[in-house]
């Protein structure tokens, strides 16, 4: 009988391309990965890994077994979900990946209420960008993720995942309080031509979106500063180093010396919860998603 945990190791090596990467994902040492693979080779009676330069690669037998492993792990997950649903209790451990502002403005306050309702469930949280979170949910490294896309750049969610909308989050332009636009209730994009921009760091999902959106209105962005965190961006705006697009979710506390002005057309990002469809019957996933939806609806008045 094939051992599922060893098949999970093989599947991780196939998915991530190396023993080291698989060890990082599974949170074990590379020696532990090697030991599991040695045992799996003895179980199947065939070589599964072979040397390739400084690393290893899957043999033909391993590639065949890895394709079966994905199906077997999926079936095992559905069986576990069915058993958890039959038991009916919200308990155990659930891993949740979310981007920074959702972690601060949505997950943290929602989980405060949630822990009181479901004390037997432990939620492990990891801050992670949406384009990284989706593959990890698909592969089973995360149980649930909160992801975002913008009104003009929809995200592609794999067919194996279920998505549910949590809320729509509006973004405004942050300007220094003495800026000529600070007294305006609303501005058009053309009013922002010639401004110095403060944006997210390279590699963040919003960085490319902001550049593309600004250019769509005929403005070539003059990037003065780049910072990953909204709080850092706001500090730079307060210091007079530029303007920034800041979503409303999770942006408090706001430093002194800043005014927010709405942009026309309105900038909206959509925030979703996603999980593997095979795990949809798990009471823990349903409970966490329901808790997030209830909090988001209460906080936005919808």
């Amino acid at each position: 009988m094939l051992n599922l945990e060893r098949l999970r190791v093989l599947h991780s090596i196939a998915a991530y391309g190396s023993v080291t990467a698989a060890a990082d994902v599974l949170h074990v040492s590379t020696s532990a990965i090697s030991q599991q693979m040695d045992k799996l080779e003895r179980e199947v009676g065939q070589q599964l890994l072979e040397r390739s330069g400084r690393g290893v690669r899957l043999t033909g037998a391993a590639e065949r077994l890895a394709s079966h492993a994905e199906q077997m792990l999926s079936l095992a997950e559905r069986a576990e979900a069915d058993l958890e649903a039959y038991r009916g209790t919200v308990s155990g451990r659930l891993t949740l990946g979310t981007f920074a502002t959702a972690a601060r403005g949505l997950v943290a306050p929602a989980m405060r209420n949630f822990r009181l309702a479901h004390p037997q469930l432990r939620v492990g949280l990891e801050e992670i960008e949406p384009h990284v979170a989706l593959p990890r949910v698909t592969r089973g490294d995360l149980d649930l993720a909160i992801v975002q896309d913008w009104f003009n750049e929809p995200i592609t969610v794999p067919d194996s995942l279920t998505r549910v909308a949590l809320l729509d989050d509006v973004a405004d332009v942050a300007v220094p309080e003495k800026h000529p636009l600070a007294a305006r209730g609303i501005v058009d994009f053309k009013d922002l031509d010639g401004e110095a921009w403060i944006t997210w760091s390279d590699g963040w999902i919003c960085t490319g979106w902001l550049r593309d959106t600004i250019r769509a209105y005929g403005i070539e962005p003059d990037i003065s500063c780049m910072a990953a965190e909204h709080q850092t961006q706001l500090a730079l705006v307060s210091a007079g180093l530029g303007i920034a697009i800041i979503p409303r979710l999770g942006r408090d506390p706001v430093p002194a010396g800043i005014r927010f002005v709405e942009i026309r057309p309105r900038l909206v990002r959509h925030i979703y919860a996603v999980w593997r469809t095979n795990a949809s019957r798990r009471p823990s996933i349903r409970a966490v998603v329901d808790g997030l939806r209830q909090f988001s609806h209460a906080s936005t008045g919808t």
Side-chain angles (χ1 to χ4, degrees):
M1 181 70 67
L2 294 172
N3 181 285
L4 278 179
E5 287 308 309
R6 289 165 196 155
L7 290 177
R8 193 182 306 279
V9 169
L10 174 63
H11 179 258
S12 296
I13 295 173
Y16 291 95
S18 72
V19 169
T20 300
D24 289 341
V25 169
L26 297 175
H27 305 291
V28 298
S29 65
T30 55
S31 61
I33 295 288
S34 298
Q35 290 171 15
Q36 290 295 315
M37 289 302 299
D38 288 342
K39 292 178 181 178
L40 185 58
E41 286 184 333
R42 289 197 293 271
E43 285 179 353
V44 300
Q46 297 189 62
Q47 183 180 1
L48 299 176
L49 298 179
E50 58 186 9
R51 289 289 177 186
S52 177
R54 294 184 177 180
V56 296
R57 65 182 178 187
L58 301 183
T59 63
E63 290 176 352
R64 284 175 175 265
L65 185 57
S67 66
H68 289 297
E70 183 173 5
Q71 299 175 48
M72 295 168 69
L73 292 169
S74 177
L75 182 61
E77 181 175 46
R78 289 200 298 271
E80 290 172 352
D82 282 344
L83 286 173
E84 188 176 322
Y86 180 78
R87 187 170 64 245
T89 59
V90 180
S91 59
R93 180 176 175 82
L94 182 142
T95 53
L96 170 64
T98 181
F99 57 97
T101 52
R104 184 168 57 248
L106 174 60
V107 177
M111 288 301 102
R112 184 184 299 115
N113 300 332
F114 185 81
R115 289 184 66 187
L116 296 176
H118 305 287
Q120 292 181 297
L121 180 66
R122 293 180 59 201
V123 178
L125 178 67
E126 181 177 352
E127 187 177 303
I128 186 172
E129 281 287 275
H131 66 281
V132 179
L134 284 174
R136 292 190 58 187
V137 174
T138 302
R139 287 189 289 259
D141 307 331
L142 293 170
D143 296 314
L144 183 69
I146 298 175
V147 300
Q148 64 168 3
D149 63 15
W150 289 92
F151 69 103
N152 55 343
E153 284 192 8
I155 197 170
T156 300
V157 176
D159 293 338
S160 60
L161 303 184
T162 295
R163 169 172 61 177
V164 65
L166 296 177
L167 74 154
D168 286 345
D169 186 26
V170 177
D172 306 301
V173 59
V175 301
E177 62 181 355
K178 294 184 179 179
H179 191 282
L181 299 177
R184 301 267 295 272
I186 189 168
V187 296
D188 295 316
F189 253 103
K190 62 180 178 58
D191 299 322
L192 305 177
D193 195 6
E195 296 287 344
W197 288 87
I198 298 167
T199 75
W200 294 268
S201 302
D202 283 333
W204 288 63
I205 188 173
C206 294
T207 307
W209 164 81
L210 181 60
R211 286 194 175 103
D212 292 343
T213 301
I214 294 172
R215 287 169 177 155
Y217 291 95
I219 302 171
E220 183 59 32
D222 174 16
I223 307 300
S224 65
C225 303
M226 302 180 75
E229 278 290 334
H230 288 166
Q231 298 305 312
T232 305
Q233 293 181 21
L234 288 172
L236 296 170
V237 172
S238 180
L241 299 179
I243 65 173
I245 300 296
I246 304 291
R248 296 176 185 177
L249 178 67
R251 71 184 180 194
D252 291 332
V254 178
I258 285 179
R259 295 291 182 270
F260 290 104
V261 183
E262 188 173 335
I263 303 176
R264 186 169 46 204
R266 212 174 199 204
L267 302 182
V268 179
R269 61 177 179 171
H270 311 296
I271 298 176
Y272 312 93
V274 296
W275 64 92
R276 290 181 302 284
T277 302
N278 287 338
S280 291
R281 295 196 63 198
R282 288 180 59 185
S284 56
I285 287 180
R286 295 202 308 269
V288 170
V289 172
D290 288 345
L292 292 170
R293 294 184 72 185
Q294 290 169 12
F295 180 84
S296 62
H297 292 169
S299 62
T300 58
T302 59

